[in-house]
Amino acid sequence: MTAPIVAAHGIHKHFGQVHVLKGVDLDVAERELVFVIGPSGSGKSTLLRCLNRLEEPSSGSITVAGIDMLSPKTDINHARQHIGMVFQSFNLYPHMTALGNVMLALRKVAGKSRAEAETIARAALERVGLAERAHHRPAELSGGQQQRVAIARAIALEPRVMLFDEPTSALDPELVGSVLAVMRSLRESGMTMIVVSHEMGFARAAADRVVFMDHGLIVEQGPPAQIFENPAHERTRAFIGQIRQH
């Protein structure tokens, strides 16, 4: 077994008195798409944010692409170039075009020249199907298009791992498909992805593994068919049953 590209072991996270993550272990293989599901407040987003140190774990160890994310010696901004993150809110700069938003990280974080940044940014927008929208500002784009710009911005830095935190939950239902299509094409190109989402159809169709979290712990994990059709744990069964009713 080759070493996992993401290895998080014994992750605890306290917010004051609240114990949000209670010793989570998660290994992710290169090119794997892992889907994390569970009720609100189960710690899914906090776990993602710990992986790229947007949240500081209270204890545990995290290695991503061979980088010890919790070492005081690690240049965290450099390390984050290897870990793209797409949020529920698109976090685009409203005064900049789609192209400008994608170029910014390439210039600031990766230190690319303007010409090189523009070439890479245009290619990234092409990958998410927005080449012709390069000069539109966020206000001129639909929510789905804005989210695809956010994905382009992340993949332009050529990360080894992509984290998606509820990437479609702020979108109108008819715009969700365009974002999932981009995620599917990333998956086909071999990107390692960890996705927190309520898009169970996508999980079933695209995930290699589904991880069910509840109360700050991973309760069970396995292939989508097993988790959705034949979960071993009572809490997983209850959660899957609830989703089915919606």
Side-chain angles (χ1 to χ4, degrees):
M1 165 88 184
T2 52
I5 189 165
V6 176
H9 295 153
I11 302 301
H12 286 263
K13 175 64 182 174
H14 296 267
F15 290 106
Q17 298 297 307
V18 185
H19 197 176
V20 180
L21 296 175
K22 301 173 183 169
V24 173
D25 294 322
L26 181 67
D27 286 343
V28 178
E30 191 135 25
R31 303 175 77 93
E32 192 177 18
L33 196 171
V34 174
F35 222 90
V36 185
I37 64 172
S40 295
S42 56
K44 309 182 297 289
S45 293
T46 303
L47 175 61
L48 273 198
R49 295 168 72 88
C50 284
L51 293 178
N52 70 353
R53 290 249 325 261
L54 280 175
E55 296 289 356
E56 289 292 331
S58 306
S59 61
S61 67
I62 297 173
T63 309
V64 178
I67 299 166
D68 178 351
M69 295 298 290
L70 303 183
S71 165
K73 297 193 186 76
T74 297
D75 174 346
I76 198 64
N77 290 325
H78 177 71
R80 282 195 189 127
Q81 288 186 47
H82 298 286
I83 315 169
M85 181 137 189
V86 176
F87 301 89
Q88 180 174 340
S89 54
F90 321 125
N91 298 347
L92 299 177
Y93 289 102
H95 62 287
M96 295 177 117
T97 62
L99 184 66
N101 268 284
V102 179
M103 282 177 65
L104 188 66
L106 289 162
R107 301 266 306 172
K108 289 266 194 290
V109 181
K112 305 280 187 202
S113 70
R114 175 171 288 281
E116 196 180 2
E118 180 166 346
T119 303
I120 296 168
R122 285 187 183 279
L125 287 170
E126 177 93 43
R127 269 185 85 179
V128 300
L130 289 175
E132 76 294 346
R133 292 272 192 271
H135 296 290
H136 289 61
R137 292 200 166 134
E140 303 168 299
L141 300 171
S142 71
Q145 289 170 336
Q146 290 182 59
Q147 189 60 293
R148 281 148 60 200
V149 173
I151 294 173
R153 177 179 58 188
I155 61 175
L157 290 167
E158 296 186 9
R160 301 278 308 279
V161 178
M162 283 284 287
L163 308 176
F164 289 89
D165 189 8
E166 302 280 10
T168 58
S169 63
L171 300 179
D172 294 334
E174 69 273 16
L175 301 175
V176 167
S178 67
V179 173
L180 295 183
V182 168
M183 291 171 69
R184 202 168 267 125
S185 74
L186 282 181
R187 155 129 185 66
E188 282 157 14
S189 72
M191 178 65 76
T192 306
M193 296 160 65
I194 306 174
V195 181
V196 168
S197 173
H198 294 294
E199 296 293 334
M200 298 302 156
F202 182 66
R204 201 179 278 246
D208 294 301
R209 176 161 47 118
V210 175
V211 171
F212 173 67
M213 284 184 74
D214 195 15
H215 292 94
L217 285 167
I218 291 176
V219 176
E220 78 175 286
Q221 53 186 307
Q226 177 195 316
I227 298 296
F228 289 117
E229 304 306 329
N230 196 14
H233 203 285
E234 181 51 48
R235 276 192 287 178
T236 319
R237 282 198 290 275
F239 178 74
I240 301 294
Q242 272 177 331
I243 319 172
R244 291 233 165 92
Q245 288 159 20
H246 289 300

